[in-house]
Amino acid sequence: MKNLLTDIAGVRVGHAEDAKVGSGATAVVFDSPAVAAIDVRGGGPGTREDALLDLANTVERVDAIALSGGSAFGLDTGGGVQAWLAEQGRGYRVREALIPIVPGAILFDLLNGGDKAWGRFSPYRDLGYAAAAAAAAGTDFALGSVGAGLGATTATFKGGLGSASAVTPDGVKVAAIVAVNAVGSVTVGDGPWFWAAPFEVDGEFGGRGLPDKFTDDMLRMRIKGGPAASARENTTIGAVVTDAALTKPQAKRLAMIAHTGFARAIYPVHAPTDGDVLFAAATGAKPIEPLVGLTELGTIAANVVARAIARGVYSATALPFAGAQPAWRDRFGA
């Protein structure tokens, strides 16, 4: 176990970035189509193919998931991932036609100091293609200010992309990948403590624990932009993936339970000015008991999501632009 999403067999992750723009994309590519669903909790989401994942609709499996910066421009990322998959002969077959199924979600990083004057077309389709191609290269991938997390911020420190994994007592694996661009804070007050500290494993985000006591100032709301915060400036997006055999409704339930991890790691969360989205996908390798087993899987998945969020901020580095938000490590070290 590498404490990454790719601990799930048959799952690959690739990043692509544009340093000048200060934004990027991440592709989660499945070796074989995976059962998938989506749960949206934030008030300002930006998604691609979310209607397809509705439980009433026909298609149950997806070939990849696209996560991207760029706000609505970043929805082009899915087209780039789709183009790469089409070249590999992947997709949903309709007689002679093959259509790669690539849902996606975006976050807003257009005000982070990068050069967004990219001309007629945004770079995100090309970034999506490059991220998918990078996913084919192996099972390791970087965390922090990479891919969809390159331009991310939070209320207090630089945001980023994180991942974590775990195994249930029955041997079912579950892992998460999250790009953290929350309107709220991932840390307690102005200190080094992460809200997700009770779920930390082996000092994966610094081992600082929680403060001895909570003051009123620590519990004060900290949000980006203060009273002027905009729904377009925020969003935490990600995916939780398991090797369990789930139906589409069960994957939906997994996403719903796992969303608890957002609340364990971000304060406040699911605000009108957030666009929080979590996908759930299942590769189907291992059977699972549909009631207690699924509940246990969701419980552990929520913990994994919380850990991934903290790891994303812990691993982030500041962007090289004037006035860029400092990273957690800039203030507290490792």
Side-chain angles (χ1 to χ4, degrees), residues 4-328:
L4 296 173
L5 189 75
T6 47
D7 286 329
I8 310 299
V11 181
R12 303 178 186 273
V13 174
H15 302 311
E17 303 98 12
D18 188 319
K20 179 181 177 182
V21 172
S23 187
T26 296
V28 177
V29 179
F30 302 101
D31 288 350
S32 299
V35 173
I38 186 174
D39 189 46
V40 179
R41 297 290 175 94
T47 56
R48 166 192 162 104
E49 296 278 39
D50 59 319
L52 177 145
L53 297 177
D54 187 279
L55 302 187
N57 293 334
T58 302
V59 174
E60 294 190 345
R61 297 177 182 268
V62 305
D63 297 293
I65 295 170
L67 306 175
S68 182
S71 189
F73 296 104
L75 294 175
D76 288 346
T77 295
V81 177
Q82 189 176 51
W84 184 87
L85 287 164
E87 290 180 349
Q88 316 309 309
R90 295 281 308 276
Y92 181 77
R93 181 170 291 279
V94 182
R95 296 193 299 277
E96 294 81 18
L98 277 175
I99 307 167
I101 305 300
V102 185
I106 50 88
L107 56 82
F108 184 97
D109 57 4
L110 299 182
L111 299 177
N112 60 15
D115 181 5
K116 306 304 191 291
W118 46 60
R120 177 171 293 179
F121 298 111
S122 82
Y124 292 100
R125 184 176 65 175
D126 290 337
L127 287 173
Y129 183 94
T139 57
D140 287 329
F141 61 94
L143 304 183
S145 298
V146 294
L150 176 63
T153 57
T154 74
T156 52
F157 296 109
K158 174 73 174 66
L161 183 134
S163 189
S165 65
V167 183
T168 73
D170 293 332
V172 175
K173 293 181 180 179
V174 61
I177 187 169
V178 185
V180 187
N181 189 59
V183 68
S185 175
V186 176
T187 55
V188 179
D190 295 319
W193 316 279
F194 287 92
W195 289 107
F199 310 100
E200 185 174 12
V201 176
D202 297 330
E204 62 192 335
F205 41 90
R208 300 297 183 100
L210 290 172
D212 293 334
K213 64 178 182 178
F214 287 85
T215 66
D216 289 343
D217 182 66
M218 289 176 181
L219 299 176
R220 176 173 57 84
M221 183 178 73
R222 289 167 169 81
I223 60 173
K224 286 191 290 190
S230 164
R232 296 169 297 178
E233 297 176 13
N234 312 298
T235 290
T236 298
I237 56 176
V240 58
V241 182
T242 178
D243 60 0
L246 301 181
T247 63
K248 194 174 179 182
Q250 287 173 329
K252 171 71 172 183
R253 181 56 56 183
L254 176 63
M256 294 171 67
I257 301 173
H259 239 306
T260 308
F262 281 47
R264 292 173 179 169
I266 303 170
Y267 183 90
V269 72
H270 300 153
T273 50
D274 275 316
D276 301 332
V277 171
L278 187 64
F279 296 96
T283 63
K286 299 175 182 177
I288 189 170
E289 195 280 322
L291 298 178
V292 176
L294 180 59
T295 302
E296 183 174 50
L297 179 63
T299 301
I300 295 173
N303 296 345
V304 168
V305 167
R307 292 165 48 208
I309 290 170
R311 290 190 82 198
V313 173
Y314 175 73
S315 302
T317 54
L319 292 172
F321 306 132
Q325 189 175 48
W328 184 92

